[in-house]
Amino acid sequence: RTRHNKQGQKSKIIKSIHTRKREKKSKPHQFKFEEGGRLLRRKTPQAAMNPPPLLRSKAALAIIMAAAAAASTALSCSAFSSSFSSSSVRRAVVVRSGRRISRNSMARNLAVSDPGSILTTSTSSFVDVVRRSRPLAGLRLRGVVRGPSSSSMSSSSSPLRPSPGGGFGIGSGSGSRLFSTYDVDEDAESEQLLADRPLSSAEAEPAATNGDESPFVVDSDLDLDTADVDASLPAGGRYDALLSSVGLSDRLSQLNNLPSKRPLSPNDVFCNRELNLNGIKAIGFDMDYTLAQYHQPAFDKLAFDGAKEKLVMALGYPKEVLEFEYDHTFWVRGLIIDTRRGNFLKIDRHKYVRVAYHGFNPISSTTRKHLYNRMFNKVPSFTERHFVNMDTLFQLVDAHLFALLVAMKDEGEHDFLDEKTYEEIYRQVRECVDLCHRDGVIKDEVARNPEKYIVPDPGFVPMLKGFRDSGMKVFLLTNSYWEYTSVVMNFLLHGEKVDPDLRSSNEWLDLVDIAIVGSCNPAYLRDPYLNLFRVRPEDGSLLNTDGLFEIEALGTNGAEKFLSDGKTFQGGNWNHLTAMLDVEAGEEILYVGDHLYADVLRSKRTLGWRSCFIVPEIVEEMRVFRENLPLRRKITDLRKLRDELSLYGDAVRRNADDPNSDEVRAVLRQIDDDDAEVKGVLTQLAERYHAAFHPVWGQMFHAGYQDSRFAYFVQNYACVYTSKASNLGYASAASRSFRTRGELLPHDSLLADYRNSEFVYDEDEWLTQHHRDGDGDSDGTAE
């Protein structure tokens, strides 16, 4: 704080003008100074050394420096969120693996929030300690001397203790736990528990991933509810009482043909938003991981091996990179990569980070909250450029290669990596992987041996024929170019590799009305100025078109005449597509894709298309969910019990004549003890439940007890979703409708649970109903 200028209004106006000029010259950052009620934003912490005139007193500057250092310590106990110029540290003694880090290298890395380095601060300087995170156990942080003014002040060092799971333990060590208002129960942080307590070899070996059998057996002491099902009755007798109550008994002719239980399979199409296929005029498909599924990890290894070779041979990365091995089982879709810090995050629908890893090392709960949750007047949106969403299976390769390089950089054995930031490493990884998709490293190998990489789908042809026979127009919209598209589509049609003559005939084109390759999606759905080219199927050569102008110039039935010259194209944009399809509204198009952002979110949000999301992982998710349903019910019921104990505690306090009496305190202590007993068991069950889905990240569609961010986008932007595209062929009738289940808010959910809840309308009656049917009083003693 500073004193207000008291030299008159004219002086204030002049200073305000100079203030605005200074604000325009510098970018806003985290340090703010207050002058005459105005906020002056400074570019870097170094700017604090040249404050406005009113802040040039040593006393005021010392107070500001101390406050800034304290804030830096509270908000970030590490270099994850620090930023400063190289000139701000005059002399630094930094030790990493017995070697000294240069000042320029340190500043270059830390200026972009290098998570591999750990900082501590004191009131004498912004940065007291810079230390690499590699071996954590037993490290002590050495001080940084900053200028002669601080030479007489000894920087205190504090041990950096590893967290129980091997993560970055900051502050008082593994025993401390940062409190957050989001932390209601430890069992809600099941993923963090998995990170803090690595699974033993006996537990980790049978982990359920990629179609393996689940290591957990369904509890035999908790049967599923089958009491209301009688296989001898129509539909198992499930609807008898309902139909009788609404006057429909004996009026439904096909009720006798319904099974006793509704068959449920990953081949079903699941509905988030009602969809009537009768209103759909055109249905479109992406190709990669939509019409064509690929064998993992064989297909991914093509990109992984090609990218690491480019990193070494073209970009000069250490030769040890060539020894990296690919493991797709460590990852799941829906994670977020923090490329600036080298972290991998799983967040819930409310943008709360539930678990975080730095490379392959779990980050402690305390550090995670400091980095992503404990912020003032700023809620992270995770849409900034340095956050990358793992929306597609293609990105598993990027994630694994990046995590391996993060680990190599943190080891500190390679000067080449010391000079690079995490963000720069990720950008080069992404460029190398992308180049593998364009230069033939992947697609030439798939063309030579398609049966090794592409999963045959017998339902492919019947589905496309069914849609066309029902009057819908079918189109293909893929980012792959013509040569590769021809290879994949011919394999899906014939179920095997075909000879060049048969491939050149491209019989699969008879299954679609329009085929668009090289679409550059999602730009295809946003940029109305992209040019459209014809593709000659015989040799893949391109011909110019005038696009919309040519269609309009052809007059009546212009789209039909335009397509008579060929229906294969490259590039273009959504305007060309809708003109060729002759549709009038976005809701008349159903687009099927596997990329949550490019295929589903962008087509839905920008153009209003109806969307179908392909989720191959749902096969495993549903199997594990079903096998662990008894365990899930136990968890749900225990949470209900804890909630009722809390409500009873409220009633005891509210109805007691003296809430501070010994009798009331004794009852409340007993309630707390009961809650602790339930909580201990619940925590173990919740950890076991999430580990059944994935030993590292838990259930893909849930984070704690909330929907994950991945599930949030699936619910909000995918009208329907299923495990593979050909499942739509099982419901290809033009009149087919998909119906969503009723959505319930918490109050409706509690009311719907009529077996465990009772609705009490009167407030006075509600106040007394928290006691056991009048058998107890406010202090818990018997009447």
Side-chain angles (χ1 to χ4, degrees), residues 15-54:
K15 288 182 179 293
S16 178
I17 294 174
H18 289 299
T19 295
R20 288 196 295 271
K21 291 181 178 180
R22 282 195 297 271
E23 288 179 344
K24 292 180 180 179
K25 291 181 180 179
S26 62
K27 297 181 180 179
H29 207 274
Q30 64 209 62
F31 287 85
K32 302 177 182 179
F33 304 94
E34 188 175 13
E35 177 183 7
R38 294 183 56 81
L39 290 178
L40 310 184
R41 300 175 183 266
R42 312 307 296 167
K43 186 175 182 180
T44 65
Q46 178 65 18
M49 305 305 296
N50 299 297
L54 293 179

Side-chain angles (χ1 to χ4, degrees), residues 526-675:
R526 294 184 299 178
D527 189 348
Y529 301 105
L530 296 177
N531 293 321
L532 180 69
F533 302 91
R534 284 191 186 276
V535 176
R536 294 183 58 188
E538 298 81 13
D539 56 9
S541 60
L542 302 181
L543 301 174
N544 290 323
T545 73
D546 289 327
L548 295 175
F549 300 104
E550 185 173 343
I551 296 175
E552 293 176 359
L554 292 174
T556 306
N557 297 324
E560 183 177 345
K561 296 175 183 177
F562 183 73
L563 292 174
S564 64
D565 293 333
K567 57 182 178 181
T568 54
F569 302 90
Q570 177 174 311
N573 59 73
W574 61 274
N575 285 312
H576 300 125
L577 178 62
T578 53
M580 289 186 288
L581 293 173
D582 193 23
V583 296
E584 299 177 353
E587 65 172 323
E588 296 176 343
I589 298 176
L590 173 62
Y591 186 59
V592 186
D594 73 293
H595 196 299
L596 189 56
Y597 175 78
D599 295 335
V600 176
L601 187 148
R602 185 50 56 196
S603 65
K604 178 79 171 181
R605 179 184 290 177
T606 304
L607 304 177
W609 291 4
R610 307 307 300 269
S611 56
C612 176
F613 186 44
I614 302 303
V615 194
E617 304 95 328
I618 202 173
V619 177
E620 180 67 14
E621 288 276 315
M622 290 183 67
R623 184 187 66 81
V624 178
F625 184 94
R626 176 60 178 80
E627 291 180 354
N628 289 272
L629 187 56
L631 178 60
R632 176 182 172 84
R633 289 187 175 182
K634 287 182 178 179
I635 293 173
T636 301
D637 290 342
L638 285 175
R639 284 176 57 80
K640 292 177 181 178
L641 176 57
R642 291 194 67 194
D643 190 45
E644 288 196 40
L645 286 173
S646 297
L647 291 173
Y648 177 62
D650 294 340
V652 169
R653 296 183 188 90
R654 181 173 60 247
N655 297 327
D657 295 332
D658 182 7
N660 295 318
S661 66
D662 293 339
E663 293 81 4
V664 173
R665 289 178 179 272
V667 173
L668 294 178
R669 281 195 300 270
Q670 292 173 358
I671 293 175
D672 290 340
D673 292 341
D674 292 345
D675 182 74

Side-chain angles (χ1 to χ4, degrees), residues 503-516:
R503 192 181 78 179
S504 63
S505 64
N506 289 300
E507 295 177 359
W508 62 270
L509 285 174
D510 295 334
L511 301 174
V512 299
D513 295 279
I514 301 171
I516 299 174

Side-chain angles (χ1 to χ4, degrees), residues 29-179:
H29 207 274
Q30 64 209 62
F31 287 85
K32 302 177 182 179
F33 304 94
E34 188 175 13
E35 177 183 7
R38 294 183 56 81
L39 290 178
L40 310 184
R41 300 175 183 266
R42 312 307 296 167
K43 186 175 182 180
T44 65
Q46 178 65 18
M49 305 305 296
N50 299 297
L54 293 179
L55 300 178
R56 286 179 179 169
S57 68
K58 293 183 178 180
L61 183 59
I63 293 173
I64 293 171
M65 295 290 287
S72 178
T73 304
L75 293 177
S76 175
C77 295
S78 66
F80 295 68
S81 57
S82 298
S83 178
F84 56 92
S85 63
S86 60
S87 61
S88 64
V89 180
R90 302 178 186 174
R91 297 201 307 273
V93 180
V94 183
V95 178
R96 183 186 58 194
S97 304
R99 299 189 296 113
R100 185 186 298 267
I101 301 176
S102 68
R103 181 184 65 189
N104 290 336
S105 176
M106 174 187 63
R108 180 162 46 250
N109 282 278
L110 297 181
V112 292
S113 306
D114 184 350
S117 302
I118 306 300
L119 303 184
T120 62
T121 60
S122 71
T123 55
S124 62
S125 64
F126 282 100
V127 180
D128 277 342
V129 178
V130 182
R131 183 65 184 240
R132 272 292 177 183
S133 62
R134 181 187 165 242
L136 296 178
L139 285 183
R140 294 190 67 84
L141 306 182
R142 303 182 62 177
V144 174
V145 182
R146 189 175 184 277
S149 61
S150 61
S151 60
S152 60
M153 303 180 65
S154 60
S155 299
S156 60
S157 63
S158 61
L160 177 62
R161 301 187 179 95
S163 67
F168 301 101
I170 306 297
S172 60
S174 60
S176 64
R177 183 174 182 273
L178 180 65
F179 174 77

